[in-house]
C-alpha cells in the first residue's frame, strides 16, 4: 500500500536523520522536519555513493533490512558531514 510505504519512509527517515544528527552533534540545531529531510536525502546519497560499492539497497529502494537501514544511516551521516563542511569549514 502506497500510503503505508510513505508513512514508513517518513518515520524511518526521521529516525535515521535524528540518529545521524546525534552522531554528528547537530541535533540541537535540527527539528523533526529537518531530521526527516536528512534521513531521506541521506538514504538518497547512500543510494548513489554506497549501494554500488556494497551492493546493499537503502530505505528509498524498498529494502527494509538492517543492512539497508545502516547504509541509509551512513548516507545521512555523510550528508551532515558535507553540510557541516560547507557551513563551518569543518566536518566535526
Amino acid at each position: 500500500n502506497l500510503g503505508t510505504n510513505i508513512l514508513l519512509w517518513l518515520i524511518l527517515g526521521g529516525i535515521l536523520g535524528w540518529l545521524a544528527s546525534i552522531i554528528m552533534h547537530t541535533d540541537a540545531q535540527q527539528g523533526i522536519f529537518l531530521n526527516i529531510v536528512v534521513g531521506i536525502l541521506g538514504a538518497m546519497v547512500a543510494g548513489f555513493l554506497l549501494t554500488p560499492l556494497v551492493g546493499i539497497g537503502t530505505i528509498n529502494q524498498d529494502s527494509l533490512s538492517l543492512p539497508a537501514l545502516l547504509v541509509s544511516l551512513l548516507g545521512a551521516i555523510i550528508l551532515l558531514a558535507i553540510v557541516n563542511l560547507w557551513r563551518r569549514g569543518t566536518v566535526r
Side-chain angles (χ1 to χ4, degrees):
N1 183 340
L2 182 61
T4 304
N5 287 345
I6 291 173
L7 183 62
L8 192 59
W9 192 47
L10 291 173
I11 291 169
L12 289 175
I15 292 169
L16 293 174
W18 173 67
L19 290 173
S21 71
I22 289 173
I23 292 167
M24 295 301 292
H25 305 288
T26 61
D27 190 43
Q29 304 160 5
Q30 293 181 201
I32 189 164
F33 177 74
L34 261 147
N35 283 337
I36 292 169
V37 170
V38 165
I40 292 171
L41 290 179
M44 289 174 68
V45 167
F48 291 125
L49 299 177
L50 302 175
T51 294
L53 295 174
V54 296
I56 299 169
T58 67
I59 62 167
N60 291 352
Q61 299 164 332
D62 289 330
S63 179
L64 292 179
S65 63
L66 183 59
L69 291 171
L70 293 175
V71 167
S72 299
L73 176 61
L74 187 56
I77 292 169
I78 290 169
L79 177 66
L80 284 177
I82 292 168
V83 168
N84 285 344
L85 187 60
W86 183 69
R87 275 176 152 177
R88 300 185 201 132
T90 177
V91 170
R92 189 165 101 149

